[in-house]
Amino acid sequence: MNGLDAFDKVSLGVFPTPIHRLHNISRLLGAQIDIKRDDLTGLGLGGNKVRKLEYLMAQAKAQGAQVVFTTGGAQSNHAMLTAAAARRLGMTPILILKKRGVTARQGNQLLEHLMGVDVRFMDTDSYADIYAEMDRVGAELGVPYYKIPCGGSNALGTLGYVDCVREIAQQGQYDHIVVAEGSGGTMAGVALGAKLFMPGARVHGMMVDTDPFEQITVDLMRGAAALLGAQVSVSADDFTLRDMCGPGYAIPSEEGNAAVAMMAQQEGLFLDPVYTGKAFAGLAAMAREGAFAPQERVLFIHTGGAGGLFAVGV
Ligand SMILES: *Cc1c(COP(=O)(O)O)cnc(C)c1O
């Protein structure tokens, strides 16, 4: 195994992020529920993409990139954080976003405006069109450029959450880890990380979109395991998935909004309507179904999303 430490990282965040008990919600749901505060990763408004970007931006830097492209929806937290990372490292971010969702100067669009980012919208549902446009723009600029896929979810970005589970294992032992799944890299990293560093933990992905996540997760886990040279056999038995998408990606759901309100009212913490609210609603549903035994410890990874909260609302 090459191990995680064989891969270059740039320092963008503040780690380790804290873990603490959700006392009121634990009492309410009759389970021991802790929260991993990856909403406090320390760049921009925080969020899970910072861990992936520490690996991806190291590769961009090593390749001498002057321009960094990425994509997502109009309120992509990932796109905003990629722009913030590029600014920090003195590279020029160019965001080519799907013209889907709230394009007004609110939420992440406001933050990108403040960072002076070149944001372009493409009226397409195909990321292939967008990656082709990145190559066209990059060639036109004539400078070395680096393309980061939607959500930073490739094998290299997935290492960020393998690393996160290594960090969690230093902070406590868990029987269940629950996380949102949007483009897959976070969940895949957590599932592979659990295999390597916390084999007793069961990993539950809460799907907030309608993509074929079982295959996506297994593929990303295998890609990351291959990078690490880890001798593990990966399959869909390594995790469970639950459909929490509701009316559609980036469209708030009743259950998700109830979870956002519960977290705010019980704990004074803010989830977002697109990812973490829906994911926590899934955790609450599992608790009510009796999926967590009283002595078991449950960890929810708060993956951020504050920008979206102010644009999408609940
Ligand atoms: C991107 C994102 C996720 C999902 O992570 P993926 O690696 O894309 O599956 C979850 N929560 C928030 C707030 C995000 O921005």
Side-chain angles (χ1 to χ4, degrees), residues 48-49 52 77 153 180-186 275 303-305:
N48 60 335
K49 303 310 181 312
K52 300 174 176 189
N77 302 304
S153 285
E181 176 147 23
S183 63
T186 302
Y275 295 97
T303 44

Side-chain angles (χ1 to χ4, degrees), residues 46-49 52 75-78 81 108 150-153 161 179-188 208 213 220 249 272 274-276 279 301-306:
N48 60 335
K49 303 310 181 312
K52 300 174 176 189
Q75 288 296 329
S76 166
N77 302 304
H78 162 72
L81 285 167
N108 287 308
C150 167
S153 285
Y161 272 82
V179 70
E181 176 147 23
S183 63
T186 302
M187 167 66 183
V208 303
F213 283 114
L220 285 168
Y249 172 71
D272 79 286
V274 180
Y275 295 97
T276 54
I301 303 181
H302 190 334
T303 44

Side-chain angles (χ1 to χ4, degrees), residues 3-276:
L4 280 168
D5 299 327
F7 290 84
D8 265 353
K9 270 204 277 190
V10 287
S11 172
L12 293 170
V14 181
F15 300 108
T17 57
I19 292 181
H20 60 86
R21 177 64 47 92
L22 296 172
H23 287 286
N24 297 328
I25 287 181
S26 291
R27 208 174 306 120
L28 205 67
L29 296 177
Q32 299 186 55
I33 303 166
D34 287 2
I35 189 165
K36 172 74 168 164
R37 298 296 304 276
D38 268 19
D39 56 323
L40 301 179
T41 48
L43 179 71
L45 299 183
N48 60 335
K49 303 310 181 312
V50 178
R51 291 186 191 269
K52 300 174 176 189
L53 286 164
E54 288 201 335
Y55 287 95
L56 295 164
M57 294 301 272
Q59 187 169 72
K61 211 172 140 184
Q63 294 179 5
Q66 293 174 28
V67 166
V68 174
F69 290 103
T70 198
T71 186
Q75 288 296 329
S76 166
N77 302 304
H78 162 72
M80 184 276 285
L81 285 167
T82 299
R87 285 293 188 230
R88 171 84 69 87
L89 298 170
M91 299 182 215
T92 302
I94 301 180
L95 306 180
I96 304 183
L97 306 178
K98 280 187 181 172
K99 200 172 182 180
R100 300 289 181 265
V102 180
T103 57
R105 191 177 290 170
Q106 293 171 15
N108 287 308
Q109 283 300 317
L110 172 63
L111 303 178
E112 286 154 17
H113 174 73
L114 290 174
M115 293 188 284
V117 178
D118 181 347
V119 179
R120 308 173 188 202
F121 291 107
M122 267 184 92
D123 195 356
T124 177
D125 285 314
S126 152
Y127 280 118
D129 291 350
I130 290 182
Y131 299 131
E133 177 67 5
M134 290 175 184
D135 285 324
R136 197 192 64 74
V137 175
E140 200 174 84
L141 291 171
V143 298
Y145 62 93
Y146 186 81
K147 291 184 290 180
I148 296 180
C150 167
S153 285
N154 56 19
L156 186 63
T158 296
L159 296 186
Y161 272 82
V162 178
D163 209 2
C164 179
V165 178
R166 181 169 67 169
E167 184 180 295
I168 292 167
Q170 301 289 312
Q171 297 172 297
Q173 286 299 313
Y174 289 91
D175 301 288
H176 300 272
I177 303 178
V178 178
V179 70
E181 176 147 23
S183 63
T186 302
M187 167 66 183
V190 171
L192 180 61
K195 269 182 106 73
L196 298 175
F197 301 113
M198 207 182 287
R202 275 158 288 166
V203 177
H204 310 284
M206 299 297 168
M207 303 182 287
V208 303
D209 204 342
T210 54
D211 297 308
F213 283 114
E214 188 171 289
Q215 194 59 47
I216 289 169
T217 307
V218 166
D219 288 349
L220 285 168
M221 287 176 74
R222 290 201 175 126
L227 280 183
L228 293 172
Q231 302 299 318
V232 289
S233 78
V234 166
S235 78
D237 296 335
D238 292 327
F239 51 85
T240 73
L241 295 175
R242 186 181 183 107
D243 178 9
M244 295 305 297
C245 184
Y249 172 71
I251 303 171
S253 70
E254 221 168 278
E255 273 181 291
N257 289 354
V260 173
M262 173 167 70
M263 187 67 84
Q265 290 166 22
Q266 298 294 326
E267 305 287 349
L269 297 176
F270 300 106
L271 300 172
D272 79 286
V274 180
Y275 295 97
T276 54

